[in-house]
Amino acid sequence: MIRHIVLFKFKAGYSWDDQRVVAAERSSQQVGAHVPELLEWRTGRNVSTRDIAYDFVVMGLVRDEADLQRYLTNDFHRRSAGLWREISTWVIADLEEPVSSDHDV
């Protein structure tokens, strides 16, 4: 299993009041419904106000590297990522997780 994590930080001049940010958030919330390889999908606004904090996070779970690649090339995911590209920078991490009895492999 691979846990895919992305942290987004707004570029200067963008905030939650901007409709482009709201559109990117809404699109991200729908990715899990449009990417069949995702076993789990979570999104959320960061509640931390520290200077080093990022603004938004998405986390997904896929079975393996092949499913991760299908997720990354999925058209809906790519369109959603494109919305974030305009308004933010981001960092990612892909972590190996032990297989849980909650997920069929």
Side-chain angles (χ1 to χ4, degrees):
M1 302 290 243
I2 298 173
R3 174 78 55 194
H4 176 68
I5 303 166
V6 185
L7 302 171
F8 299 90
K9 188 161 191 76
F10 298 145
K11 291 179 181 176
Y14 291 95
S15 71
W16 289 113
D17 297 329
D18 191 305
Q19 287 305 306
R20 291 168 290 189
V21 172
V22 173
E25 177 185 32
R26 286 186 184 141
S27 180
S28 291
Q29 291 167 340
Q30 297 173 25
V31 168
H34 292 275
V35 180
E37 290 78 17
L38 287 166
L39 303 173
E40 294 178 10
W41 184 250
R42 296 186 63 178
T43 68
R45 294 181 182 189
N46 189 354
V47 298
S48 175
T49 58
R50 293 180 289 168
D51 289 341
I52 63 170
Y54 278 67
D55 298 295
F56 188 72
V57 64
V58 299
M59 295 183 294
L61 183 68
V62 295
R63 285 183 180 84
D64 54 28
E65 189 68 35
D67 278 356
L68 180 61
Q69 289 306 311
R70 282 188 284 278
Y71 154 78
L72 292 173
T73 58
N74 175 281
D75 287 339
F76 190 90
H77 167 259
R78 291 170 63 100
R79 284 190 301 273
S80 185
L83 297 175
W84 283 105
R85 190 170 291 111
E86 176 187 347
I87 63 172
S88 71
T89 60
W90 65 73
V91 295
I92 67 114
D94 293 320
L95 312 174
E96 287 189 3
E97 284 195 4
V99 175
S100 165
S101 60
D102 294 341
H103 302 287
D104 297 328
V105 176

